[in-house]
Amino acid sequence: MRHKEAAKSVILTLLVLMSIVLTYLMWNFSPDLANLESQDNKKTNQNTIGKANSEPMASVISPYQVVYSNDDKFTGALETRTINRNIVKVLKNQEVEDAHEVYHAHNLFIPELSDNFLVLDFAYDMPLSMYLGQVLNMDAKVSNKYEFNRLLIDAEQKDTAVIYAISSDHHRVMRMTTSIPSNKVNDLVGKIKPNLIPFADIITNRNTIDAATHIFAPEKPQHLKTYRTIFNHISVETMNSILFNDSVVVRSTKSGNTTYNNNTGVATYDSKNELYRYMNLSEDESKSKNMLETIPSTFDFINAHGGFTDDFRLFDTDDESGELTYQMFLNGVPVFNENNLSTIQVAWGEKGIFSYGRSLLKSNITIDSGEEKEKLPGAETVRSNLANNPSIDFKKITNITIGYTMKDREEDDMEVQRNSEYVPQWYVQYDGEWYAYENGGLKS
């Protein structure tokens, strides 16, 4: 009997201890969320091709060059990413106190413009209200219909800066008085001056004879390096998951191109050139041509899936087709490629993405090729040769700049990864299109 009681006591003690242990474990239980998060992240990462939402809008919707006019002497910089950040800091979150539009039937002339001002040059037209409101977060009441491609910032007229937004036809200007302290603009100029080099002012027609409307280009570009880039690949499956929303996709191959489609869209992939293009069938015949909507919407769409895999910047807007081009930049200058490997071409629809075309390559590493530096002619030589070329209508030239030509390595190159060279070259915007300058003419 005594042994039975002892056994009962032992069993009871064990049960109490087990109860205590289980209670402790329940109170201190923490689910392994790391594994769940890892799985969720893996699923999320399948719908991105880079770091999502990594680019601020002001870095992508930005000028391609900055010029400083000082007593009719011009200096400037093509490497504007750092300079642009400094400019945005001064302009952002300010207010446009007054704005009025002025029209000139002949060449544009701004009599009150001082001899010292900053020029921000864009390669495309865009709505002023969108740039001020969404990129710079400025409180501005300006017409949604007014478009510009050049800003002048004048801090010499009064205690606060005056900004002029000039239209691409050089017949209209929006004069805006602002809350931006002039001394902050002058401090900015002092900060960026050491990075500026001499720029040439070029006149191509009667619309570019004033200091406010000259075409500006590096006067004597330094000997520029050639670079070599090795690429990583973006998978077609990832692009499909982004654009088809993980729905069932039918695949077919014909003539070297692969087509993917479902009931909402169709995509084609050219494996030779590594180009991918998507068309949203549900948005057929409803492409938006309203840049107030298209520019911010396409920026948000691309940025959301990490689509700005390199230094991409808006470089062209087409009001007629509604298509935008985001261009790759290297060391502050645009990169051009005849097969569109350096661009993202996109259009917006009434309810979402309308079309989306891009290369499925992204830079892995970019290094100095080690080759001899390129000796480019000066801006005056380029201007003179173009002006004297009988096959060119000199009046149709609207921009001249330095760019890189992206060239594939020779086919006998034994490298496993695809790689290209970036070779510096003059580029000219002629009749709305960009062409390489070569042997006194434009290479088509």
Side-chain angles (χ1 to χ4, degrees), residues 47 144 294 433 441:
N47 292 328
N144 288 336
T294 298
E433 301 292 333

Side-chain angles (χ1 to χ4, degrees), residues 104-109 170-171 205-210 213:
H104 293 259
H106 301 291
N107 57 295
L108 183 66
F109 176 64
H170 294 169
H171 289 300
N205 55 50
R206 67 179 185 180
N207 292 326
T208 58
I209 63 175
D210 190 73
T213 56

Side-chain angles (χ1 to χ4, degrees), residues 162-323:
V162 179
I163 297 179
Y164 299 88
I166 298 176
S167 64
S168 59
D169 64 6
H170 294 169
H171 289 300
R172 291 176 173 82
V173 60
M174 184 74 74
R175 183 185 188 275
M176 297 171 285
T177 56
T178 73
S179 62
I180 304 166
S182 291
N183 62 337
K184 286 193 175 182
V185 176
N186 292 327
D187 290 344
L188 168 68
V189 171
K191 188 174 183 178
I192 68 175
K193 260 187 177 181
N195 300 312
L196 305 182
I197 61 173
F199 264 50
D201 54 309
I202 299 171
I203 299 173
T204 58
N205 55 50
R206 67 179 185 180
N207 292 326
T208 58
I209 63 175
D210 190 73
T213 56
H214 289 330
I215 293 173
F216 297 109
E219 189 174 274
K220 295 179 180 179
Q222 302 295 320
H223 294 170
L224 300 171
K225 294 180 180 180
T226 296
Y227 290 89
R228 180 180 177 184
T229 289
I230 299 174
F231 294 105
N232 281 336
H233 294 261
I234 300 168
S235 75
V236 178
E237 290 74 18
T238 301
M239 291 301 301
N240 286 343
S241 70
I242 293 168
L243 292 158
F244 290 103
N245 296 318
D246 295 319
S247 59
V248 177
V249 177
V250 178
R251 170 178 172 172
S252 61
T253 303
K254 184 179 180 181
S255 302
N257 292 333
T258 305
T259 301
Y260 305 86
N261 67 279
N262 63 7
N263 59 350
T264 62
V266 59
T268 57
Y269 174 58
D270 176 357
S271 59
K272 180 180 179 181
N273 292 309
E274 307 207 46
L275 290 172
Y276 180 97
R277 186 161 185 85
Y278 168 85
M279 181 72 71
N280 187 338
L281 299 179
S282 64
E283 292 290 335
D284 191 28
E285 298 183 4
S286 59
K287 186 189 300 185
S288 173
K289 298 178 183 179
N290 179 8
M291 292 301 157
L292 280 170
E293 176 187 33
T294 298
I295 293 176
S297 296
T298 56
F299 166 79
D300 288 339
F301 173 80
I302 298 171
N303 206 25
H305 62 261
F308 296 119
T309 50
D310 288 280
D311 181 7
F312 281 98
R313 308 182 195 180
L314 184 61
F315 203 64
D316 183 67
T317 58
D318 191 330
D319 289 330
E320 293 185 4
S321 69
E323 189 166 270

Side-chain angles (χ1 to χ4, degrees), residues 96 212 306 360 432:
V96 172
L360 295 192

